[in-house]
Amino acid sequence: MSYEPVRVASIGLGRWANIMANAIERSEKLKIVACYSRSVGKREAFAAKHNCEIEDNLESLLKRDDIEGVIVTTPNDQHAPVIEAAAAAGKHVYVDKPIAVSLDHARRIEKAVRDAGVVFTVGHSARRLAGVRKIKELMDSGRIGEVSMIETNFSNERGMELQPGNWRGDRLMAPGGPLTQLAVHHVDSLQYLLGPVVRVFSFMKSMYTPVDQDTATMTICEFASGKLAYIGANWASPGVFFMNVYATKATLFYDLDFGWWSKADVVDDHSKLILREFTSKGDDPDNRFLHDVPVTLERGDMFREQFEDFADSIRGLKAAPEIDAAQAIHNIAVVLAAVESSKTGKAVEIEDILKS
Ligand SMILES: NC(=O)C1=CN([C@@H]2O[C@H](COP(=O)(O)OP(=O)(O)OC[C@H]3O[C@@H](n4cnc5c(N)ncnc54)[C@H](OP(=O)(O)O)[C@@H]3O)[C@@H](O)[C@H]2O)C=CC1
Ligand SMILES: O=C1CO[C@H](CO)[C@@H](O)[C@@H]1O
């Protein structure tokens, strides 16, 4: 069903704003009409590239009646103040992940959008990858049996390039470093697949980086269902994104070439999902053989789709976007529990984090 494109403004015009704008430009459901960032150079470059108007300050942008929603890609600590102002002005809000880096900020955001009655969503796009959607389908259909555990990793080399002053190198703005910035995507996908995490244990170390930030993290999660998951995330290796699912009838190996992450319209072509199962399974454990079945992945576009979900909700085609504030808060609670565990050397209950 087609409708008048939802008119949006981009706020916080760094690297990710441009990748998100490219995705919006692949859709007929939204149109970027204006932009704002604090520095003049970034505003001018973004407006020229994405053919939109420039606003010199947030207040003037939010006063415009022709802007229906905002795309917030400011650094993590600037999500809450920008969203509070946008929601108070009646603008619908998309914010990139993580929703915020403290529960206090996350709850301020939840309250602001609820009080204003605006549509709100968070960019946990990885669950929309063709491989993750297919894993969910294979789990729900019973094809792979019952899952006991999932192992994941999302890593890249960025910790080695951090400089003092970069917000990613700040423990308050990016707690757990690569866990907050990269593997929070796996935190979301794992809770999408297995339900809520209840308890977390984590080790975090600072390695191969010029700043005082964790760059190697290993986290184990226990789910309310009793199932288990491992999340590895480092900032000291070439890019890695994988998810391996262990189930009673088959094991799934999902691997994505991180080099294509920001090109969401083709990234699914650079991923593979293998299903490993028994060819025959007799009584003799020394006479059981396995084979690998490649699983076909239909190409999607995780970034375009998340914006279309947002736009469809604004136009009333659906009640709400797939990812809401409550899920995003649970995602960040898992990250904060992992950071707490790495400090205390003990497992941390998510309930205790949510109570704090
Ligand atoms: N989903 C994904 O895969 C990814 C998500 N992200 C997320 O996107 C967000 C932005 O990341 P990224 O683009 O890499 O960061 P950058 O630092 O490159 O860009 C953020 C920009 O926001 C601007 N800014 C800062 N404060 C404000 C403010 N108060 N109001 C308006 N603009 C402001 C800054 O520019 P200026 O000085 O001009 O204001 C800055 O350049 C983060 O939340 C990050 O986690 C990032 C990468 C990938
Ligand atoms: O979420 C993310 C995924 O990958 C990006 C790198 O391309 C990160 O910068 C980011 O924070």
Side-chain angles (χ1 to χ4, degrees):
M1 187 178 172
S2 65
Y3 46 70
E4 263 308 288
V6 173
R7 293 179 301 279
V8 296
S10 296
I11 301 174
L13 308 177
R15 170 173 164 259
W16 206 243
N18 283 283
I19 303 289
M20 295 297 91
N22 295 340
I24 289 171
E25 286 158 7
R26 295 195 291 273
S27 174
E28 292 180 351
K29 295 186 172 187
L30 307 95
K31 181 173 170 44
I32 300 174
V33 296
C35 67
Y36 166 68
S37 205
R38 295 165 311 179
S39 66
V40 178
K42 284 185 190 167
R43 301 202 285 258
E44 287 177 349
F46 185 94
K49 191 163 170 215
H50 301 288
N51 191 25
C52 66
E53 292 168 31
I54 295 172
E55 287 293 338
D56 298 340
N57 60 74
L58 185 61
E59 295 68 34
S60 61
L61 182 148
L62 295 177
K63 274 193 194 135
R64 281 177 59 159
D65 290 335
D66 64 329
I67 292 170
E68 299 172 87
V70 292
I71 308 299
V72 180
T73 48
T74 53
N76 299 338
D77 71 320
Q78 289 300 306
H79 291 179
V82 170
I83 293 170
E84 284 177 325
K91 308 302 181 198
H92 305 293
V93 177
Y94 165 92
V95 64
D96 224 293
K97 50 48 52 178
I99 181 170
V101 286
S102 71
L103 285 174
D104 174 47
H105 272 217
R107 289 189 178 120
R108 276 171 48 190
I109 292 170
E110 185 181 39
K111 180 173 183 326
V113 297
R114 189 182 51 235
D115 289 355
V118 295
V119 172
F120 174 72
T121 194
V122 184
H124 287 292
S125 57
R127 67 159 75 175
R128 297 176 191 274
L129 286 164
V132 178
R133 292 297 206 208
K134 183 58 84 176
I135 288 170
K136 173 110 173 95
E137 193 185 309
L138 290 165
M139 286 171 59
D140 291 349
S141 68
R143 170 74 176 80
I144 60 171
E146 293 298 323
V147 173
S148 53
M149 52 182 257
I150 300 183
E151 291 175 337
T152 62
N153 193 299
F154 197 168
S155 298
N156 68 24
E157 69 287 2
R158 308 292 158 81
M160 297 185 282
E161 295 161 2
L162 287 173
Q163 293 300 320
N166 183 311
W167 63 263
R168 281 181 166 80
D170 183 311
R171 289 175 183 271
L172 287 176
M173 291 174 80
L179 178 61
T180 292
Q181 286 310 122
L182 298 171
V184 75
H185 285 293
H186 280 321
V187 173
D188 178 70
S189 297
L190 286 167
Q191 297 199 96
Y192 162 69
L193 294 170
L194 297 179
V197 172
V198 291
R199 198 164 20 158
V200 162
F201 182 84
S202 188
F203 285 115
M204 297 189 181
K205 304 281 178 201
S206 181
M207 289 183 208
Y208 314 119
T209 181
V211 299
D212 175 31
Q213 171 63 297
D214 290 318
T215 50
T217 73
M218 298 183 111
T219 302
I220 308 283
C221 301
E222 181 182 347
F223 293 75
S225 60
K227 297 175 198 294
L228 301 174
Y230 161 77
I231 304 170
N234 80 68
W235 261 340
S237 74
V240 169
F241 180 107
F242 73 70
M243 173 178 281
N244 298 335
V245 180
Y246 302 84
T248 49
K249 291 189 203 158
T251 307
L252 300 174
F253 300 93
Y254 176 46
D255 188 66
L256 177 140
D257 179 345
F258 174 72
W260 295 88
W261 176 263
S262 55
K263 295 157 190 72
D265 49 339
V266 294
V267 70
D268 291 322
D269 297 350
H270 299 273
S271 67
K272 52 180 185 293
L273 179 62
I274 304 289
L275 183 152
R276 180 171 298 164
E277 62 185 353
F278 291 110
T279 42
S280 63
K281 186 165 174 287
D283 290 339
D284 178 1
D286 295 316
N287 197 19
R288 291 175 188 164
F289 296 95
L290 298 162
H291 69 156
D292 282 357
V293 184
V295 180
T296 305
L297 297 176
E298 300 294 333
R299 183 202 280 183
D301 183 336
M302 61 176 168
F303 298 150
R304 177 176 53 74
E305 288 164 24
Q306 69 181 0
F307 289 119
E308 294 193 336
D309 186 38
F310 179 55
D312 285 352
S313 305
I314 292 169
R315 288 285 178 261
L317 266 61
K318 47 186 308 218
E322 178 173 333
I323 297 160
D324 60 14
Q327 293 173 67
I329 288 175
H330 215 274
N331 291 336
I332 203 64
V334 171
V335 170
L336 295 173
V339 173
E340 175 71 10
S341 170
S342 76
K343 288 182 188 155
T344 61
K346 296 196 165 64
V348 174
E349 305 286 329
I350 300 301
E351 204 180 313
D352 289 343
I353 292 289
L354 288 171
K355 268 194 251 156
S356 62

